Amino acid sequence: MEPAALERFHSPGKGNGLRSRRSMRPGELLYRDVPFAYVLSKQQLGSVCERCLRRNENLHRCSQCKVAKYCGRTCQKEAWLDHKQECKCLKSIEPNFPPDSVRLAGRIVFKLLRQSVCPSEKLYCFSDLQSNTEQLSEEMKDGLRHLAQTLQLYLKTEIQDESQLPPAIDFFQIFTKDLYEMNPMISQSITSY
């Protein structure tokens, strides 16, 4: 279904949503697009191509960070725009490895800084996601502040001074957006610290 056949709506107390403007058959695909940002979980690293997400036993690793792995040169070239800055960050924190949620937030920050337009933003863009700060307990806020500090350390190679970032990019707020509820990895990272 094309984005024009869908409409955005806000449901008080529940957040934003999409609904069809026409009748749907059960099982009919509503919408499909590439994600704004994604990362492989730590458990999947090494067994899945970072670009096409296919399982492959003969992956070729990035010669710089030695973390990212690809099916071949085509996948590696296609992934380079998203991996370039991340690669430097991964190298700079060796032998440590950031939580999945921090890597995802890093990719979001880099994409926002590049002002990269993603096809999935036809319906929603990152700034449309609402913050859930007021609904979080102090314990959860402390956990998210810790993740924001971890993100700052992780990105230090590429972003030396957080105050130089546009106001729309706030490390803490990135973790409080709707993606917090949509991505259980973030809550898992808080408890697994």
Side-chain angles (χ1 to χ4, degrees), residues 15-120:
N16 298 315
L18 292 175
R19 63 180 159 223
S20 174
R21 294 182 180 191
R22 64 173 178 77
S23 296
M24 302 286 302
R25 294 183 317 271
E28 184 177 347
L29 178 66
L30 274 173
Y31 183 71
R32 179 188 333 196
D33 216 329
V34 296
F36 181 74
Y38 67 91
V39 294
L40 295 176
S41 69
K42 191 173 182 178
Q43 293 80 11
Q44 293 174 312
L45 287 172
S47 62
V48 177
C49 176
E50 290 262 348
R51 175 68 181 145
C52 70
L53 306 177
R54 290 190 181 104
R55 290 200 176 281
N56 189 331
E57 292 182 18
N58 298 317
L59 296 172
H60 307 278
R61 71 179 182 182
C62 171
S63 62
Q64 297 297 309
C65 70
K66 306 199 181 357
V67 173
K69 295 191 176 181
Y70 304 98
C71 290
R73 305 236 353 109
T74 302
C75 279
Q76 189 170 8
K77 283 181 181 179
E78 289 175 1
W80 184 242
L81 189 59
D82 287 330
H83 181 63
K84 181 179 176 181
Q85 292 173 296
E86 175 187 57
C87 186
K88 292 176 187 174
C89 294
L90 288 168
K91 280 177 48 179
S92 74
I93 62 166
E94 285 181 314
N96 298 319
F97 197 81
D100 297 340
S101 56
V102 170
R103 289 180 33 246
L104 176 60
R107 282 196 176 188
I108 290 170
V109 167
F110 293 143
K111 201 144 198 175
L112 292 172
L113 286 173
R114 284 196 318 262
Q115 297 179 347
S116 178
V117 177
C118 181
S120 62

